């Protein structure tokens, strides 16, 4: 399946994004956070396009051919490949925040279990952890970092609407969990997105350990 790029888009630009996605995916797969071809990753290419993983590929072995171009409404551009089923959740982030260039979504065991544990409350409140400072905008362990847990659905417009409702209520959002499913987070570049994802995984593990050990 060949990827045709818009005339104004340099091949080197698309390739650099595809390589960054593949490298991040390899590292996250090695951690066991992308079981059974799950998870999806994307990067903004320009104001109107993003590069995203093609549906169903093994995230530990991605190459440039496993990444495709989409517009910011989730339509394939210059390819007949099918983007990830959850593409709408990526493009929502790019449309909301022009400065965001990378979105990561994984399905680790910790993320999956934490989402089930906190689904009834609708959110996890993290407080008192030094590593909260790894999230951009947080400078103290004293602040409250709230991660919403949205109900899972296979109907993406419903999930998009839940994220929109949270943001439209004026609440900060750096990441969200989907019940029984996984996590979404993002960053102004791939390094920031990866830092957010690693910090959140660690914080969720700590919260669950604390719950286990204090019961
Ligand atoms: Zn997923």
């Amino acid at each position: 399946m060949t990827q045709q790029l818009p005339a104004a888009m340099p091949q080197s630009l698309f390739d650099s994004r595809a390589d960054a996605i593949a490298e991040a995916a390899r590292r996250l797969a090695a951690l066991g956070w992308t079981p059974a071809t799950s998870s999806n990753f994307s990067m903004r290419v320009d104001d109107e396009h993003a590069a995203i993983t093609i549906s169903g590929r093994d995230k530990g072995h991605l190459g440039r051919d496993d990444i495709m171009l989409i517009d910011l409404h989730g339509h394939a551009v210059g390819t007949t490949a099918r983007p990830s089923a959850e593409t709408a959740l990526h493009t929502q982030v790019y449309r909301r925040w022009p400065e965001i260039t990378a979105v990561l979504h994984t399905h680790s065991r910790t993320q999956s279990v934490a989402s089930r544990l906190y689904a009834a409350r609708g959110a996890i409140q993290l407080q008192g952890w030094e590593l909260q400072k790894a999230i951009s905008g947080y400078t103290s362990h004293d602040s409250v970092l709230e991660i919403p847990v949205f109900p899972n659905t296979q109907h993406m417009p419903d999930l998009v609407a839940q994220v929109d409702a949270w943001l439209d209520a004026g609440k900060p959002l750096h990441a969200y969990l989907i019940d029984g499913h996984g996590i979404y987070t993002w960053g102004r570049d791939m390094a920031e997105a990866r830092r957010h994802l690693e910090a959140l995984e660690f914080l969720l593990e700590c919260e669950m350990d604390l719950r286990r050990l204090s019961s």
Side-chain angles (χ1 to χ4, degrees), residues 10 22 30 35 58-59 61 69 73 86-87 95 108 153 158 171 188 207 210:
D58 178 348
K59 304 306 184 294
H61 299 91
L69 194 68
H73 295 279
E86 295 171 38
T87 294
R95 288 200 311 273
S108 81
T153 169
D158 290 349
K171 298 192 232 183
R188 285 166 295 186
E207 277 292 320
L210 203 56

Side-chain angles (χ1 to χ4, degrees), residues 38-40 84 86 89 105-107 178 181-184:
S38 69
S39 309
N40 39 71
S84 157
E86 295 171 38
L89 299 175
H105 166 54
T106 51
H107 286 221
I178 306 172
H181 179 163
I183 199 166
Y184 272 83

